């Protein structure tokens, strides 16, 4: 079966995202945070060899703490993340590249300067101003664009591929792991868990596990990044850690039009040490809004 995108210029798809992070530990109370937002993708152009899409995502509301800021500053903060990412796929819907990185970076830096200027012109207390400046300055255009691109990559993950419904495909890849946010080598499998030709529906499951010794990979990476800061004590502490990591993702598509219907990305990491047992579950669900 070939999973190919069939869309026309002007077609728009709207999605909602629910991102949940749950932390549990034997040393403190469990915590859970949830973020929701919507985004759209629109076909700007369609040729025999490619599609040009625009991804648009807006911050619908600020946190309760930021809602007390002056209205002008609130609007400026919201506009900071209001970026339209233009990207290209091949004729089958397989992602190729972001097209307007330079323009997005320029727009972001301009808006960032506006936010910082408004913060300094406000009547907020100095310590609060300093805190906000630190947060705003820590946000980089590259990381924001990368965050938005993750949604795009998830939607187009299986598009443009050919599948034997009964096959299980093995693969290896390097990805960033949760909590530590550092690249690690993984091995995985992907297989079809449901196919309904009558209703034009297909669902894939992807399972991944870390290759080799988690602790050694993390230690090698830390030493390559800052060898002078990895002390013998730090190295010993890392070696004592009992770590495990498991990822399972679900990709669901309409097979008639090659439209993503539902994407669920799930990461589970365990870190056990002399100080206690810790577990984090990150769930990132993307659903097509009918």
């Amino acid at each position: 079966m070939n999973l190919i995108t069939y869309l026309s210029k002007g077609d728009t798809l709207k999605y909602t995202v629910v991102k949940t992070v749950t932390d549990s530990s034997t040393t403190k109370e469990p915590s859970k945070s949830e973020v929701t937002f919507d985004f759209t993708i629109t076909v700007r152009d369609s040729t025999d060899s490619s599609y040009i899409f625009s991804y648009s995502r807006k911050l619908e509301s600020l946190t309760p703490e930021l809602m007390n800021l002056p209205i002008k500053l609130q609007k400026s903060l919201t506009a900071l993340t209001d970026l339209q990412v233009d990207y290209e796929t091949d004729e089958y819907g397989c992602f190729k590249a972001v097209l307007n990185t330079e323009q997005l970076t320029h727009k972001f830096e301009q808006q960032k300067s506006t936010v910082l200027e408004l913060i300094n012109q406000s009547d907020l207390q100095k310590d609060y101003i300093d805190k906000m400046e630190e947060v705003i300055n820590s946000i980089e255009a590259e990381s924001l664009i990368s965050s938005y691109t993750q949604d795009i990559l998830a939607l187009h993950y299986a598009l443009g591929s050919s599948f034997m419904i009964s096959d299980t495909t093995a693969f290896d890849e390097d990805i960033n792991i949760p909590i530590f946010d550092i690249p690690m080598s993984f091995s995985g499998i992907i297989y079809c868990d449901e196919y309904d030709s009558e209703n034009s529906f297909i669902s894939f499951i992807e399972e991944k596990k870390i290759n080799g010794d988690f602790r050694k990979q993390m230690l090698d990476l830390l030493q390559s990044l800052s060898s002078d800061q990895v002390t013998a004590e730090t190295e010993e502490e890392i070696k004592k850690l009992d770590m495990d990591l498991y990822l399972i993702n679900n990709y669901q598509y309409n097979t008639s039009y090659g439209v993503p219907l539902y994407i669920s990305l799930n990461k589970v990491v365990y870190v056990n040490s002399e100080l206690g047992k810790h577990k984090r579950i990150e769930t990132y669900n993307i659903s097509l809004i009918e």
Side-chain angles (χ1 to χ4, degrees):
M1 191 209 74
N2 298 317
L3 190 56
I4 299 173
T5 295
Y6 294 102
L7 293 172
S8 302
K9 183 177 180 180
D11 284 349
T12 296
L13 302 172
K14 186 174 182 180
Y15 293 88
T16 188
V17 175
V18 179
K19 180 181 180 180
T20 305
V21 178
T22 305
D23 287 304
S24 58
S25 170
T26 55
T27 59
K28 57 183 179 181
E29 291 295 318
S31 64
K32 181 178 180 179
S33 62
E34 183 173 287
V35 175
T36 63
F37 58 87
D38 295 343
F39 68 82
T40 60
I41 60 169
T42 300
V43 181
R44 292 185 55 200
D45 197 12
S46 173
T47 69
D48 291 339
S49 60
S50 68
Y51 285 99
I52 304 298
F53 289 92
S54 285
Y55 167 103
S56 181
R57 169 178 160 185
K58 281 190 175 182
L59 183 65
E60 298 297 335
S61 61
L62 300 174
T63 62
E65 181 184 17
L66 297 178
M67 290 296 288
N68 295 320
L69 295 174
I71 297 299
K72 192 173 182 179
L73 182 52
Q74 288 185 40
K75 290 181 178 179
S76 187
L77 283 168
T78 301
L80 188 63
T81 58
D82 182 10
L83 299 178
Q84 179 177 293
V85 180
D86 297 333
Y87 65 96
E88 182 181 14
T89 73
D90 63 16
E91 66 269 37
Y92 306 114
C94 182
F95 176 82
K96 292 175 68 174
V98 173
L99 303 176
N100 61 335
T101 301
E102 187 175 336
Q103 296 95 316
L104 290 174
T105 301
H106 179 68
K107 178 185 176 183
F108 176 82
E109 293 301 333
Q110 280 190 320
Q111 189 60 37
K112 187 174 177 179
S113 296
T114 300
V115 170
L116 290 171
E117 184 178 343
L118 288 172
I119 289 173
N120 281 288
Q121 291 174 355
S122 69
D123 296 328
L124 299 170
Q125 294 182 357
K126 187 179 184 308
D127 57 343
Y128 191 78
I129 289 176
D130 292 342
K131 182 180 177 181
M132 286 198 66
E133 283 185 331
E134 183 180 353
V135 171
I136 298 301
N137 281 318
S138 69
I139 304 173
E140 298 293 337
E142 183 180 0
S143 62
L144 194 61
I145 296 169
S146 176
S147 173
Y148 290 8
T149 305
Q150 287 178 9
D151 293 334
I152 296 167
L153 292 174
L155 290 180
H156 291 267
Y157 183 78
L159 293 174
S161 301
S162 297
F163 297 93
M164 292 293 291
I165 301 302
S166 58
D167 283 358
T168 296
T169 303
F171 62 89
D172 292 298
E173 68 175 352
D174 291 333
I175 62 174
N176 278 16
I177 64 169
I179 296 183
F180 301 105
D181 195 31
I182 52 179
M184 291 288 176
S185 175
F186 284 78
S187 60
I189 57 172
I190 185 168
Y191 55 91
C192 174
D193 70 309
E194 185 178 353
Y195 177 55
D196 184 344
S197 59
E198 184 177 343
N199 292 300
S200 303
F201 175 83
I202 193 166
S203 173
F204 298 97
I205 298 292
E206 178 188 57
E207 302 178 23
K208 302 177 187 178
K209 283 190 173 182
I210 197 161
N211 285 326
D213 190 328
F214 192 166
R215 295 164 298 184
K216 185 178 184 305
Q217 287 198 52
M218 188 173 73
L219 185 59
D220 288 346
L221 182 64
L222 291 175
Q223 288 176 331
S224 69
L225 295 175
S226 55
S227 57
D228 57 330
Q229 296 183 26
V230 180
T231 64
E233 183 180 358
T234 300
E235 184 174 343
E236 191 61 30
E237 287 299 320
I238 291 175
K239 288 180 178 179
K240 289 180 182 178
L241 294 176
D242 174 23
M243 299 182 178
D244 196 10
L245 180 64
Y246 185 70
L247 298 93
I248 181 165
N249 303 322
N250 180 211
Y251 302 89
Q252 299 177 10
Y253 295 88
N254 173 287
T255 55
S256 293
Y257 300 99
V259 170
L261 302 173
Y262 175 77
I263 311 293
S264 180
L265 310 178
N266 302 278
K267 305 175 184 180
V268 183
V269 63
Y270 302 88
V271 180
N272 301 330
S273 69
E274 296 174 347
L275 300 177
K277 297 180 179 181
H278 307 273
K279 177 181 178 182
R280 167 171 284 193
I281 302 174
E282 291 188 6
T283 302
Y284 197 94
N285 293 332
I286 307 174
S287 305
L288 179 68
I289 300 174
E290 298 295 341

